[in-house]
Amino acid sequence: MGGLWSTMVLIILLLLLLLPLLRRRWFKFHGDNRMKKKTMMTSCRVPEGSWGWPFIGETLDFIASSRTSTPVTFMHQRKSMYGKVFRTHLLGKPVIVSTDPEINKVVLQNHGNIFIPSYPKSITELFGESSILRMNGALHKRVHASIGRFLKSPELKAQITTDIETSVKLSLDNWKNCDLVYIQDQTNQLTFEILVKVLMSLGPGDEMELFKKDYKEFIKGLICLPIKLPGTQLYNSLKAKERLQKMIRRIIEERLITYKTNDTTSNLAASSTTTAAAITTTASSDAIDVLLCNVDDRSDDDKCQPLDFVAGNIIEMMVPGEDSVPMVMTLAVKYLSDNPLALKQLVQENMDLKRQKANSGNSYAWTDYMSLTFTQNVITETLRLANIINAIWRQATQDVEINGYLIPKGWGVLASLTSIHMDEQNYENPNNFDPWRWEKKGIVASSNTFSPFGGGQRLCPGLEFSRLEISIFLHHLVTTYRWVAEKDEIVYFPTVKMKQKLPIRVIQDGSLIW
Ligand code: HEM
């Protein structure tokens, strides 16, 4: 027995000694040779960097850094060694990481459709090929533009402003009976129902609760092992998606019957054939209407049935919006709790609007909320600092040269947003919450150095809608309550969250003397 142990210890020691050698040989063969071949064919070069360990590359370092309070360390360390663009090996493939605003801009603009979205296997399994988050080319352009037009339309903003106000006031009203309010949970509940309303006109009730339950099961599968056997998370999430799709299909079928009854068309039926022209004769009331206009435009090799195409996309469109808006609300409350001066100025600006509305007797228009300059600066600064979506993943479909760098075909590209938002060259004292910095810079929806909503071809279509929702929440919060936040901290992995869900003690105060 003792002999067996000594042999095993010896083998482990030998392996440990040999690992660095193996590592060099592995990448000599798999990485550097490939790079050399590519570099010889062009004057551009593959960026400098390290391949890390065999098979796992630098994945563990990347994850370990994401788990700290400074997730940008991984990028900063390599940036200082290799420059703003470097190569690495993450999640099983070679990746070019860009912390350079110019390179990110070219990748996101994606002229020539060279870069396609790239996700881990569990996500591609769950999304399906016809998802807006995966589709490319002409169909993507059209669907993206239609959804963007709908979400940005003044008609939707006017209609949804009242709905958001009602939900926010209802939610805030419940807080006065609570000892501790968990902001993360409250904002999550609030924004989920608003999003579902915008996407498919479903209101609160049993069906909403069922939808929420299945949706929560569905998203658990976005970060899990890609094993699809009964009992695994991926399997359960796919089953939840089937139930969600069934529920949405039923809503669509009812919608099509309404169209038919309203005689908007002669050949619209709850079958799989729909005509865009017929639906566009009625104004879109939600994203279902918008997507129904696009089903005829799918390519021939797209096997998905039209109703499944719409239902699937409604679910997938929830993914970028569902968690991000409540997290920005939560983090704004966190930063404001830690910065009394900023909170004071925010209260003043919002109290002025409240008084003005009370004196005139007019209701709020969506433009009232969007023209609160300091409030918008608070939101912008929260988006910069919190970086809910910290990077965008793409894959190069062909060799491409950008600013003297070669990105080989098949390699991943990680356009880091966080490292640009936290770069001293772009922002003075980048770790400070400083909404006043935007008074000098001016509010920007998206620029090379500020892109929490991405950019180019896939710039978030929910950008303005999100800002409106957050503004309404902040307005009613700071003009209704004072609060004291309990100690809490931000965690960045696997997604940005508050460790304790940000508990606060609220104090209702009509006079609001801060
Ligand atoms: C603060 C809140 C939000 C943030 C920070 C955010 C961020 C982003 C980012 C960075 C992208 C680009 C992803 C890429 O290039 O691959 C994106 C895309 C997208 N977002 Fe948002 N988002 C937010 C809210 C919303 C909301 C509320 C909705 C829905 C109403 C939404 C719907 C979408 C959709 C559908 C896409 C995909 C666009 C496409 O691929 O063509 N987002 N979002």
Side-chain angles (χ1 to χ4, degrees):
M1 198 69 181
L4 186 66
W5 275 112
S6 347
T7 319
M8 275 173 67
V9 170
L10 202 69
I11 291 173
I12 290 170
L13 276 174
L14 260 171
L15 274 175
L16 282 175
L17 283 172
L18 282 173
L19 260 179
L21 190 71
L22 281 174
R23 174 181 161 161
R24 269 201 299 277
R25 287 207 160 269
W26 160 268
F27 286 118
K28 192 100 214 131
F29 183 70
H30 283 89
D32 294 347
N33 282 350
R34 212 170 1 165
M35 267 170 39
K36 258 188 218 149
K37 222 191 303 173
K38 297 271 182 203
T39 310
M40 268 156 49
M41 286 153 47
T42 155
S43 57
C44 291
R45 62 183 176 86
V46 173
E48 297 292 305
S50 156
W51 292 125
W53 296 98
F55 306 109
I56 53 169
E58 296 197 296
T59 310
L60 293 184
D61 272 4
F62 181 69
I63 293 176
S65 161
S66 310
R67 295 178 89 104
T68 66
S69 58
T70 49
V72 84
T73 317
F74 179 89
M75 306 290 172
H76 279 358
Q77 278 174 351
R78 282 150 188 84
K79 198 165 113 180
S80 63
M81 285 192 281
Y82 312 116
K84 283 188 177 177
V85 184
F86 56 89
R87 68 176 157 81
T88 178
H89 199 271
L90 297 174
L91 304 171
K93 70 158 112 169
V95 177
I96 302 288
V97 178
S98 163
T99 67
D100 180 329
E102 290 299 323
I103 304 274
N104 283 6
K105 184 179 167 191
V106 177
V107 171
L108 297 181
Q109 276 180 339
N110 196 17
H111 295 308
N113 292 322
I114 292 163
F115 299 102
I116 53 169
S118 163
Y119 299 106
K121 191 152 181 349
S122 58
I123 298 189
T124 46
E125 285 274 357
L126 280 167
F127 279 175
E129 276 168 33
S130 304
S131 161
I132 181 169
L133 304 174
R134 285 186 67 196
M135 64 171 80
N136 298 297
L139 177 62
H140 170 259
K141 214 169 162 186
R142 182 176 159 130
V143 173
H144 181 98
S146 314
I147 289 294
R149 250 194 321 274
F150 167 66
L151 288 174
K152 281 184 217 149
S153 70
E155 292 79 24
L156 174 79
K157 286 187 211 152
Q159 172 204 318
I160 205 68
T161 293
T162 324
D163 291 335
I164 302 173
E165 279 171 343
T166 313
S167 304
V168 168
K169 284 183 194 164
L170 209 71
S171 171
L172 290 179
D173 205 42
N174 289 331
W175 293 12
K176 61 177 182 249
N177 307 318
C178 305
D179 183 27
L180 272 186
V181 173
Y182 292 87
I183 296 288
Q184 193 173 293
D185 285 347
Q186 292 293 320
T187 52
N188 222 296
Q189 170 95 0
L190 175 73
T191 53
F192 188 90
E193 296 189 1
I194 294 166
L195 186 59
V196 173
K197 176 130 204 219
V198 168
L199 295 181
M200 51 198 265
S201 304
L202 186 67
D206 289 349
E207 214 173 1
M208 171 70 87
E209 290 311 311
L210 216 62
F211 188 85
K212 203 179 291 178
K213 187 167 160 261
D214 279 333
Y215 181 80
K216 298 286 171 199
E217 188 64 45
F218 163 69
I219 47 160
K220 277 189 211 158
L222 295 181
I223 304 171
C224 74
L225 288 175
I227 304 169
K228 221 173 12 176
L229 294 172
T232 60
Q233 184 54 59
L234 185 55
Y235 181 88
N236 293 343
S237 294
L238 283 164
K239 287 283 159 206
K241 187 176 179 190
E242 276 173 25
R243 292 191 293 275
L244 290 168
Q245 253 174 316
K246 206 168 149 195
M247 202 185 293
I248 303 173
R249 266 189 79 108
R250 197 192 39 70
I251 295 174
I252 302 171
E253 279 162 2
E254 283 171 13
R255 184 79 52 91
L256 290 171
I257 291 169
T258 318
Y259 286 141
K260 206 180 168 194
T261 325
N262 291 346
D263 202 25
T264 48
T265 175
S266 53
N267 64 354
L268 265 181
S271 70
S272 59
T273 46
T274 56
T275 47
I279 297 166
T280 41
T281 54
T282 14
S284 302
S285 61
D286 57 21
I288 287 185
D289 278 353
V290 178
L291 287 174
L292 278 172
C293 296
N294 285 283
V295 286
D296 281 353
D297 226 37
R298 296 163 315 118
S299 64
D300 285 345
D301 39 328
D302 190 340
K303 302 291 184 308
C304 178
Q305 287 301 304
L307 297 198
D308 285 337
F309 167 82
V310 177
N313 267 290
I314 291 293
I315 302 166
E316 280 123 24
M317 278 176 45
M318 293 202 53
V319 176
E322 186 262 333
D323 199 37
S324 44
V325 178
M327 269 329 289
V328 177
M329 290 174 173
T330 305
L331 289 161
V333 174
K334 158 91 182 130
Y335 294 136
L336 289 166
S337 311
D338 296 344
N339 292 274
L341 268 180
L343 179 57
K344 189 171 174 213
Q345 188 163 336
L346 186 79
V347 174
Q348 273 166 0
E349 183 178 67
N350 281 276
M351 283 307 286
D352 285 349
L353 176 65
K354 190 171 181 168
R355 271 186 227 107
Q356 190 194 316
K357 287 288 155 192
N359 292 341
S360 67
N362 292 337
S363 52
Y364 290 84
W366 67 269
T367 43
D368 290 325
Y369 293 108
M370 295 301 273
S371 51
L372 293 166
T373 318
F374 189 71
T375 309
Q376 290 307 319
N377 289 344
V378 165
I379 297 171
T380 306
E381 184 65 350
T382 306
L383 283 162
R384 181 192 70 82
L385 206 50
N387 284 301
I388 311 290
I389 297 184
N390 57 42
I392 291 176
W393 290 81
R394 296 284 188 265
Q395 185 175 320
T397 55
Q398 59 187 68
D399 285 358
V400 52
E401 299 173 7
I402 310 175
N403 291 4
Y405 293 113
L406 173 69
I407 303 176
K409 178 180 172 181
W411 285 29
V413 180
L414 184 72
S416 169
L417 310 180
T418 311
S419 49
I420 292 171
H421 292 173
M422 302 305 281
D423 188 333
E424 276 176 355
Q425 281 182 2
N426 305 324
Y427 297 95
E428 209 179 312
N429 299 321
N431 292 311
N432 291 359
F433 177 76
D434 177 6
W436 296 276
R437 72 170 86 236
W438 298 97
E439 286 171 7
K440 288 163 243 151
K441 280 182 179 274
I443 296 179
V444 278
S446 175
S447 72
N448 285 1
T449 52
F450 179 70
S451 44
F453 293 100
Q457 258 185 5
R458 293 180 181 267
L459 173 70
C460 175
L463 186 159
E464 291 178 27
F465 167 72
S466 306
R467 276 191 177 271
L468 176 63
E469 216 180 339
I470 301 163
S471 312
I472 299 177
F473 168 74
L474 287 177
H475 174 81
H476 293 282
L477 171 67
V478 303
T479 57
T480 313
Y481 289 121
R482 284 190 293 149
W483 72 86
V484 179
E486 301 275 296
K487 205 168 156 29
D488 202 353
E489 59 185 285
I490 306 172
V491 284
Y492 295 88
F493 189 82
T495 55
V496 178
K497 287 274 173 297
M498 295 304 301
K499 207 169 189 174
Q500 312 293 334
K501 302 180 182 179
L502 191 59
I504 61 163
R505 281 177 202 281
V506 290
I507 309 153
Q508 197 172 19
D509 184 352
S511 62
L512 274 164
I513 304 157
W514 288 84

